[in-house]
Amino acid sequence: MSVVVVSAGLSVPSSTRLLGERLAAAATGQAPADVRVIELRDLAVDIAHNFTSGFPAPALAEAMDAVAGADGLIVVTPVFSASYSGLFKSFFDVLGVRDREALAGKPVLIAATGGTPRHSLVLDHALRPLFAHLRAVVVPTGVYAASQDWGDKGLDARIERAAGELAALTGALSAASDGADAVTGGGAIGVTRGGAAGDKFDARNVVPFEEQLAALRSTG
């Protein structure tokens, strides 16, 4: 499998990138993988220009293609004002504008760094809803690393658990996709529960609830 780490760290060296690399190393230790790290700091100007021009620069376009094409994704942000950083959110905003299906059905491991343990809820009140909205499949265990967590065995255990979940989920989805291709000849999953046998489900064809509701209002 191929794994892409998206790091929104700003400093050099960055604890945010370090956490992403440790998660990737733990995940690839359990399943062979190609790993790439994308530093959003290096793409900050291109991301800003994309908002005003509507077109990504070559480096930004290549990074977005790598994210969309990855089998699994590890995303790590520093905590700013009790949430993800603006640079982190901006990257996924322009990615969603370019390809709204880029993360649909993709396994994602969420992680964050901060100066205090009090911000650990950022994983569930900010990151998890964001990637659920983008229709990614977020692994159950997120990893938050406060300053005092580095070198602690508890952080190592969380990293191993989350990485194992990402490797297992990525492998399971890949196997299911291969099996569906063999049976249906395409990328859709055959449905035998909750629908007639032979029906096909494709996550790329799911219409968000907001759009369905808007359509009902317009016809009513």
Side-chain angles (χ1 to χ4, degrees), residues 159-188:
I159 287 174
E160 290 295 332
R161 179 176 179 178
E165 292 172 353
L166 178 66
L169 180 59
T170 302
L173 290 178
S174 177
S177 178
D178 291 343
D181 288 345
V183 172
T184 67

Side-chain angles (χ1 to χ4, degrees), residues 101-120:
E101 307 297 330
L103 300 185
K106 190 180 302 296
V108 175
L109 193 167
I110 56 174
T113 58
T116 170
R118 293 195 299 270
H119 292 306
S120 60

Side-chain angles (χ1 to χ4, degrees), residues 18-40:
L18 176 60
L19 179 58
E21 290 177 337
R22 288 185 60 178
L23 287 164
T28 57
Q30 301 179 47
D34 295 322
V35 178
R36 175 180 174 182
V37 178
I38 295 175
E39 288 271 17
L40 297 185

Side-chain angles (χ1 to χ4, degrees), residues 71-218:
D71 296 318
L73 195 62
I74 298 172
V75 298
V76 196
T77 178
V79 175
F80 290 158
S81 301
S83 188
Y84 39 65
S85 72
L87 178 61
F88 181 86
K89 178 62 161 55
S90 295
F91 174 76
F92 289 102
D93 282 343
V94 297
L95 175 64
V97 170
R98 184 176 189 242
D99 180 5
R100 62 181 299 176
E101 307 297 330
L103 300 185
K106 190 180 302 296
V108 175
L109 193 167
I110 56 174
T113 58
T116 170
R118 293 195 299 270
H119 292 306
S120 60
L121 288 176
V122 68
L123 296 173
D124 291 318
H125 80 69
L127 285 167
R128 199 173 296 277
L130 171 63
F131 288 96
H133 172 74
L134 295 172
R135 289 182 271 181
V137 182
V138 184
V139 302
T141 301
V143 179
Y144 177 82
S147 298
Q148 64 260 43
D149 289 331
W150 295 99
D152 186 87
K153 292 183 179 179
L155 177 60
D156 294 338
R158 296 198 303 275
I159 287 174
E160 290 295 332
R161 179 176 179 178
E165 292 172 353
L166 178 66
L169 180 59
T170 302
L173 290 178
S174 177
S177 178
D178 291 343
D181 288 345
V183 172
T184 67
I189 300 175
V191 176
T192 57
R193 181 181 301 174
D199 287 351
K200 296 179 182 180
F201 169 77
D202 191 335
R204 295 168 296 182
N205 295 330
V206 175
V207 179
F209 175 74
E210 294 85 352
E211 293 185 12
Q212 297 183 46
L213 186 60
L216 289 174
R217 287 173 175 169
S218 64

